[in-house]
């Protein structure tokens, strides 16, 4: 301890007299105004986190192999929607063929194809229910959820209306091969076969432009046939004209169901999912 005029002062026995501190960067440059950038500092990139992360060796598994990164997909690869949707489209095509048999056979021989038509309609309702439940239970659907529901309901509507037309033909005991109905039945067969052949594209709406164009073309054929037949039935004196007109309306509604399918596919393509 040393004596000083102001009193005792403690000093370290090991260290010498205290050295003045070096001026800091802030003190040497002065205070910057608020909001202004501070003075430039020397930046050592070796201490940056991204440099350290790049220099760090990649993790290896117990086998010594570097683990592979699994890419994340927004659209699932699960084919869960494909088989039931294809089965529903196939049921529509088979129903159209069964309807052709109902129309082309005598009234007393229509029981077997009519039963087949009713079984297809029942199976189609089960497929529709299964698909709608699958849509509700799936977090990410292959296409937009609303468009997928519209496609399923359009196919189910085609099947229901086809079965109704066949049932009316059998109940009214219309003559075999009625010319007023054959044209629309042929259009339904063509539509069902085409949709079944391209059923795999129903979940890829960006590739269904040819299918949509064919549906619209066949709808135009059915519309012209409808106008001609209705005009002939109204102006003629056929006693079965009323029954044929009612059945023809149901057949035209079935064709319109495929139009709803085309509209749903076009909406899905515009969504861009």
């Amino acid at each position: 301890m040393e004596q000083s005029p102001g009193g005792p002062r403690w000093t370290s026995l090991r260290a010498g007299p205290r050295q003045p501190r070096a001026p800091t960067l802030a003190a040497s440059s002065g205070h910057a105004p608020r909001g202004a950038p501070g003075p430039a500092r020397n930046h050592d990139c070796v201490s940056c986190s991204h440099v350290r992360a790049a220099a760090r060796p990649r993790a290896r598994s117990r086998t010594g192999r570097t683990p592979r990164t699994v890419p994340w997909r927004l659209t699932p690869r699960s084919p869960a929607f494909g088989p039931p949707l294809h089965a529903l489209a196939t049921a529509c095509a088979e129903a159209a063929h069964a309807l052709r048999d109902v129309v082309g056979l005598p009234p007393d021989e229509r029981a077997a194809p009519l039963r087949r038509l009713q079984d297809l309609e029942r199976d189609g309702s089960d497929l529709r229910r299964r698909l709608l439940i699958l849509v509700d239970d799936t977090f990410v659907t292959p296409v937009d959820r609303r468009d997928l529901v519209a496609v399923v309901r359009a196919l189910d509507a085609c099947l229901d209306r086809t079965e109704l037309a066949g049932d009316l033909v059998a109940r009214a005991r219309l003559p075999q091969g009625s010319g007023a109905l054959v044209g629309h039945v042929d259009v339904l067969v063509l539509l069902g076969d085409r949709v079944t052949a391209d059923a795999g594209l129903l979940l890829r709406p960006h590739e269904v432009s040819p299918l949509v164009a064919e549906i619209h073309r066949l709808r135009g054929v059915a519309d012209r046939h409808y106008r001609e037949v209705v005009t002939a039935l109204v102006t003629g004196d056929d006693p079965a004209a009323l029954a044929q007109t009612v059945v023809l309306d149901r057949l035209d509604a079935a064709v319109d169901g495929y139009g709803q399918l085309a509209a749903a596919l076009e909406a899905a393509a515009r969504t861009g999912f």
Side-chain angles (χ1 to χ4, degrees):
M1 183 176 67
E2 300 178 355
Q3 295 292 335
S4 63
R9 184 180 61 177
W10 295 92
T11 58
S12 174
L13 298 179
R14 295 183 180 180
R18 180 178 297 178
Q19 300 295 329
R21 297 177 61 183
T24 60
L25 186 60
S28 61
S29 59
H31 294 285
R34 179 175 297 181
R41 291 176 171 84
N42 294 330
H43 190 69
D44 186 9
C45 288
V46 177
S47 62
C48 293
S49 59
H50 67 276
V51 176
R52 293 198 304 269
R56 187 183 303 121
R58 297 181 62 183
R60 293 181 176 272
S61 61
R62 295 182 178 179
T63 59
R65 297 180 180 179
T66 303
R68 298 178 59 185
T69 303
V70 179
W72 183 76
R73 288 177 53 88
L74 181 62
T75 305
R77 290 182 180 271
S78 174
F81 289 93
L85 197 60
H86 186 275
L88 185 57
T90 303
C92 292
E94 293 180 359
H97 285 276
L99 177 62
R100 173 185 280 176
D101 295 338
V102 171
V103 174
L105 291 175
D108 296 334
E109 300 178 7
R110 292 171 175 168
L114 181 61
R115 191 179 306 110
R116 172 62 176 162
L117 190 56
Q118 294 170 347
D119 292 340
L120 288 170
E121 191 275 333
R122 192 178 304 108
D123 295 340
S125 297
D126 294 338
L127 289 169
R128 175 188 59 84
R129 192 178 305 108
R130 174 184 170 188
L131 281 165
L132 294 181
I133 293 175
L134 189 60
V135 169
D136 291 338
D137 293 342
T138 304
F139 181 69
V140 180
T141 55
V143 296
D144 184 78
R145 192 178 304 272
R146 291 172 296 182
D147 297 332
L148 184 56
V149 170
V151 168
V152 173
R153 288 179 175 172
L155 288 173
D156 184 66
C158 296
L159 187 55
D160 291 343
R161 295 166 186 176
T162 302
E163 187 274 334
L164 178 58
D167 185 68
L168 291 176
V169 169
R171 289 176 181 272
R173 299 182 64 85
L174 293 179
Q176 176 182 2
S178 176
L181 309 178
V182 171
H184 257 61
V185 173
D186 291 340
V187 171
L188 279 176
V189 170
L190 292 175
L191 284 170
D193 291 343
R194 181 59 187 269
V195 172
T196 302
D198 294 341
L201 302 179
L202 296 179
L203 298 178
R204 301 194 298 271
H206 296 291
E207 304 177 17
V208 295
S209 296
L211 173 61
V212 171
E214 181 65 12
I215 290 176
H216 288 316
R217 187 188 71 82
L218 291 174
R219 283 191 67 202
V221 173
D223 183 68
R224 290 190 295 271
H225 178 265
Y226 178 84
R227 295 170 185 268
E228 295 173 359
V229 171
V230 168
T231 302
L233 291 175
V234 171
T235 57
D237 54 356
D238 188 354
L242 179 59
Q244 292 180 359
T245 303
V246 173
V247 175
L248 188 63
D249 286 339
R250 295 301 90 202
L251 291 174
D252 196 63
V255 174
D256 288 341
Y258 285 99
Q260 297 173 8
L261 173 64
L265 294 175
E266 290 174 335
R270 288 193 301 268
T271 302
F273 193 87

